[in-house]
């Protein structure tokens, strides 16, 4: 049994067919999916993926292709079952014969059968006939192996659908995380704009009262303009991410812009060593698909080799023919066992077999390529996760230091030990660090979920854990 580890939809890919099983779970998940204009928390990532499964046209096309491929098995089996046919015909024949070539011939002079010779004397015959025939293959290695090839093709088509669903899952995940990052960046840039606007007003008023520095006023104006530009850029990024989600799911969810104090995020390292994770790539869907495609190529080669073997068929037929020439009327019943031995077909069979062998070699190399890609992907994701954790710890300490520096700069400005530029620099750096912190969390989640995909183990629990991690970024706001 082959199964795609995405229980969020109950989707199973197996030898018995593709079971969608999505209706019950989708109903529950769609009820938790917020739409634009609602003031709720984060939209449900599993629900969005459930909607994407229904909305994606490419995936729908693959489902139809799978259903069409399953008919290959029925067609292959049909070649091993009796073939029954019936037919009827009418034939008019004009001929020159002994009778028509002798115009003086009088059929009435015939002692026997004079009346029956009339049609021949005229040279015109009219026949009607009907026939029923049955052919049953008794031995055909090529047809039997054709069934095995069809079954392998169906299994490969099921895995192609599973790979498509896995790719769709990652597309939804990345779009979701990009939208979350952009929404929080919009909130941060708005807070940054408000802070710089307040400081610009203070600097402008101080300058108007003659107690401030014109340089501080111009610097605060420049920082305010930059904050406005940054916010516009963040809004564009959010629109792009939401547009991608809408394309994938048919819905445009609302993320809000609230960001917490970033103190509750607790990202755990990946358990197990690298080689243990690499060993799990045998369950990678792309690897399994490559394996199945190699089996399809091998089965096709075996079917081609069967062209060297004889075929044995049983044939039964019955013919009933009526004619205006009584000598042509007959009823025939036939039964025969026919053996057909291929001897020479111009080199077609040998060329076909060689072609199948080369296809098998090509698919074997493709399997090796997919295995290497999966192993490399696992190693790269593990390195990224480790690096993200270290970077997140460093950013957490940097955030604490940046907050303290901002407080010191503000107090120093009040005491005349610092100027407004120092305060603006400290505030801008703090906001940039917060954006970087969220981006590292986003990248960690992308790598973590991609790692599960690489080992063929992505499930609803992984998506829910990712959502819980994102929710910690909004707590304490």
């Amino acid at each position: 049994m082959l199964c795609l580890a995405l229980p969020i939809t109950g989707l199973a890919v197996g030898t018995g067919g593709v079971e969608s099983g999505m209706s019950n779970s989708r109903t529950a998940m769609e009820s938790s999916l917020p739409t634009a204009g609602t003031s709720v928390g984060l939209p449900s990532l599993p629900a969005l993926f459930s909607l994407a499964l229904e909305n994606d046209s490419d995936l729908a096309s693959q489902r139809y292709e799978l259903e069409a491929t399953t008919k290959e098995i029925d067609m292959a089996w049909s070649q091993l079952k009796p073939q029954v046919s019936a037919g009827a015909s009418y034939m008019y024949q004009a001929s020159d014969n002994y009778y028509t070539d002798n115009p003086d011939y009088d059929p009435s002079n015939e002692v026997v059968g004079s009346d029956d010779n009339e049609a021949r004397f005229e040279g015109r015959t009219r026949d009607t006939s009907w026939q029923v025939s049955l052919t049953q293959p008794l031995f055909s290695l090529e047809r039997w192996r054709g069934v095995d090839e069809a079954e392998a093709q169906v299994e490969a088509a099921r895995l192609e659908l599973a790979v498509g669903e896995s790719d769709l899952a990652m597309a939804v995940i990345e779009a979701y995380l990009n939208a979350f990052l952009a929404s929080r960046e919009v909130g941060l840039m708005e807070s940054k704009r408000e802070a710089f606007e307040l400081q610009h007003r203070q600097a402008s008023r101080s300058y108007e009262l003659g107690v401030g520095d014109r340089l501080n006023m111009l610097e605060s104006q420049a920082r305010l303009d930059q904050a406005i530009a940054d916010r516009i850029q963040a809004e564009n990024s959010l629109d792009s991410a939401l547009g991608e989600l809408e394309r994938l799911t048919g819905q445009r969810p609302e993320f809000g812009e609230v960001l917490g104090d970033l103190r509750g995020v607790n990202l755990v390292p990946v358990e197990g060593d690298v080689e243990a994770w690499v060993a799990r790539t045998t369950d990678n869907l792309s690897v399994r698909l490559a394996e199945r495609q190699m089996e399809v190529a091998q089965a096709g080669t075996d079917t081609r080799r069967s062209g060297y073997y004889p075929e044995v068929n049983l044939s039964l037929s019955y013919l009933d023919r009526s004619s205006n020439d009584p000598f042509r009327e007959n009823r025939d019943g036939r039964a025969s066992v026919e053996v057909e031995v291929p001897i020479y077909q111009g080199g077609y069979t040998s060329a076909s077999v060689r072609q199948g062998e080369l296809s098998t070699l090509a698919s074997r190399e493709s399997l090796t390529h997919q295995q290497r890609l999966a192993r490399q992907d696992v190693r790269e994701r593990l390195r990224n996760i480790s690096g993200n954790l270290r970077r997140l710890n460093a950013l957490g300490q940097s955030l604490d230091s940046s907050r303290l520096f901002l407080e010191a700069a503000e107090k120093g400005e009040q005491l005349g030990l610092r100027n407004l530029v120092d305060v603006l620099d400290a505030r801008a750096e703090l906001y940039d660090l917060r954006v970087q912190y969220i981006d590292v969390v986003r990248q960690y989640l992308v790598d973590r979920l991609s790692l599960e995909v690489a080992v063929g183990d992505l499930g609803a629990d992984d998506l829910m854990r990712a959502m819980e991690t994102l929710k910690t970024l909004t707590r304490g706001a």
Side-chain angles (χ1 to χ4, degrees), residues 289-362:
L289 174 59
E291 289 175 345
R292 187 62 65 180
Q293 289 173 337
M294 186 178 69
E295 293 176 7
V296 171
Q298 184 61 57
T301 303
D302 293 339
T303 302
R304 295 166 190 254
R305 287 197 181 101
S306 303
Y308 290 116
Y309 292 83
E311 288 192 1
V312 182
N313 297 313
L314 170 66
S315 296
L316 304 175
S317 65
Y318 176 79
L319 172 67
D320 189 331
R321 180 167 57 192
S322 300
S323 175
N324 64 337
D325 182 354
F327 294 102
R328 293 171 61 87
E329 292 185 350
N330 67 307
R331 294 181 179 86
D332 291 336
R334 297 181 181 181
S336 63
V337 176
E338 302 171 356
V339 179
E340 182 178 355
V341 181
I343 297 177
Y344 180 69
Q345 293 180 315
Y348 174 83
T349 303
S350 59
S352 177
V353 170
R354 182 54 182 164
Q355 184 184 56
E357 291 172 346
L358 292 173
S359 297
T360 302
L361 292 175

Side-chain angles (χ1 to χ4, degrees), residues 60 72 117 286 315 363 407:
E72 292 287 342
N117 288 329
S286 296
S315 296
S363 60
E407 293 174 1

Side-chain angles (χ1 to χ4, degrees), residues 69-94:
T69 305
T70 58
K71 302 306 177 183
E72 292 287 342
I73 297 179
D74 297 333
M75 291 189 291
W77 274 111
S78 70
Q79 299 301 308
L80 292 167
K81 296 178 181 179
Q83 309 293 312
V84 181
S85 62
S89 67
Y90 171 81
M91 184 182 69
Y92 171 79
Q93 181 178 351

